Amino acid sequence: TSDDVHQFSGSLRVTGSGNHYFQTGNVGIGTSSPGALLHIHDSGSLPTIRTDNRRTDLVVSNTPSAGDTGIAIIAGNDANSWSNLMFGDSDSVEEGSIRYAHESDKFYIGTNRDFDKVVIDQNGKVGIGTTGPDGLLHLYTADSTQTAHTSADELIIEGSVATGITISTADDQDANLFFASATDNIGALVRWNYDDGYLQLASHKTGGGVKINSDVNTNAMTIESDGKVGIGTTSPTETLHVEGSASFAGNYIVNEQGRQDHVSNTMPA
């Protein structure tokens, strides 16, 4: 009857061409107190099953104190073989999915019936929006027609229109981009604070400076650790050291040995 409890100490074999089913109640394998519609338990005491107001229909468990637990989904190894875990609703049986392609050794996570929203390839590279990530993390919206340089391909953000990264925080807090090395976890930084109103580009190393380059990495300006600024030189000897011509559209002021001269930008005839 529906209220009976059936226990087997040996093997259970069901044969026949028709359907075989349990109409009501939970089924336990390895436990006489199943906590779900199907509860497979290895050994030891049963763990506490938290549902958080969600259904838990399948439980695979081991003793809470130790022991591994797992589920294996095994398929063939040809081009048409996939291991699949599907998530569906009344509209579709594959609204979401986790899939493994055995021939390419790629792992796919899908949503909204699109099975390749996130891809992890055989080298551990992760692609979001692309099935062929070029870097450790590749965020893709469209083809830019360029491949990232190997010196900077750990994070790739690719698109064919305006593309970027946003660092957002409260007005009175710093938004930071840090550059680190084995010696220092903040070697240099770019920082913005809305309330402060200044964008900081800084070396964080004692004795460090800042170089601004142009024209295929040619130095245009150097700021040394003592505050000296060089334009056209990487070794400024004065507070402002200009190698080459200088043009002033307005007047300029010269301070020297406590004396201030106001110099008019007027050249003699």
Side-chain angles (χ1 to χ4, degrees):
T1 68
S2 60
D3 296 328
D4 290 339
V5 176
H6 303 283
Q7 294 181 326
F8 302 89
S9 59
S11 300
L12 172 64
R13 180 182 181 187
V14 180
T15 61
S17 58
N19 296 326
H20 307 281
Y21 58 90
F22 297 91
Q23 188 169 3
T24 60
N26 296 336
V27 176
I29 299 176
T31 174
S32 59
S33 302
L37 288 179
L38 177 57
H39 188 166
I40 304 171
H41 183 68
D42 189 350
S43 62
S45 59
L46 291 173
T48 300
I49 300 173
R50 294 186 57 183
T51 61
D52 295 326
N53 297 321
R54 301 292 182 181
R55 287 183 59 88
T56 302
D57 296 326
L58 170 63
V59 173
V60 180
S61 64
N62 205 337
T63 177
S65 59
D68 296 332
T69 304
I71 298 175
I73 302 176
I74 301 173
N77 59 4
D78 62 355
N80 297 317
S81 295
W82 294 69
S83 293
N84 302 298
L85 181 60
M86 314 302 294
F87 304 88
D89 54 29
S90 57
D91 295 328
S92 172
V93 296
E94 46 185 342
E95 290 291 332
S97 61
I98 300 174
R99 300 183 175 188
Y100 184 76
H102 291 265
E103 184 182 47
S104 62
D105 288 328
K106 290 184 177 181
F107 192 77
Y108 295 79
I109 300 175
T111 61
N112 196 29
R113 306 183 195 182
D114 189 351
F115 76 93
D116 57 0
K117 291 291 182 66
V118 179
V119 175
I120 305 174
D121 73 8
Q122 64 273 27
N123 298 313
K125 296 177 179 178
V126 178
I128 299 178
T130 175
T131 59
D134 293 326
L136 289 180
L137 177 57
H138 190 164
L139 311 181
Y140 177 96
T141 56
D143 188 3
S144 68
T145 73
Q146 288 291 337
T147 300
H149 194 282
T150 55
S151 295
D153 63 354
E154 283 73 26
L155 170 61
I156 301 171
I157 302 176
E158 182 176 3
S160 60
V161 294
T163 305
I165 299 174
T166 298
I167 302 175
S168 181
T169 188
D171 286 350
D172 62 346
Q173 298 297 312
D174 293 335
N176 297 305
L177 179 61
F178 289 169
F179 302 88
S181 66
T183 301
D184 193 347
N185 62 359
I186 310 178
L189 62 90
V190 178
R191 172 176 291 159
W192 165 252
N193 184 299
Y194 182 87
D195 284 354
D196 178 62
Y198 288 93
L199 176 67
Q200 299 179 44
L201 173 63
S203 168
H204 201 261
K205 177 185 177 183
T206 301
V210 175
K211 290 183 177 180
I212 299 176
N213 295 352
S214 63
D215 189 26
V216 195
N217 207 29
T218 300
N219 180 255
M221 185 173 71
T222 298
I223 305 174
E224 295 286 16
S225 60
D226 59 2
K228 291 185 174 69
V229 178
I231 298 177
T233 175
T234 58
S235 302
T237 59
E238 308 298 334
T239 302
L240 176 60
H241 185 163
V242 179
E243 288 284 346
S245 302
S247 176
F248 299 87
N251 300 332
Y252 57 93
I253 297 174
V254 177
N255 287 290
E256 182 180 3
Q257 297 178 350
R259 187 186 69 183
Q260 183 180 91
D261 291 335
H262 184 277
V263 183
S264 175
N265 188 20
T266 303
M267 300 298 292

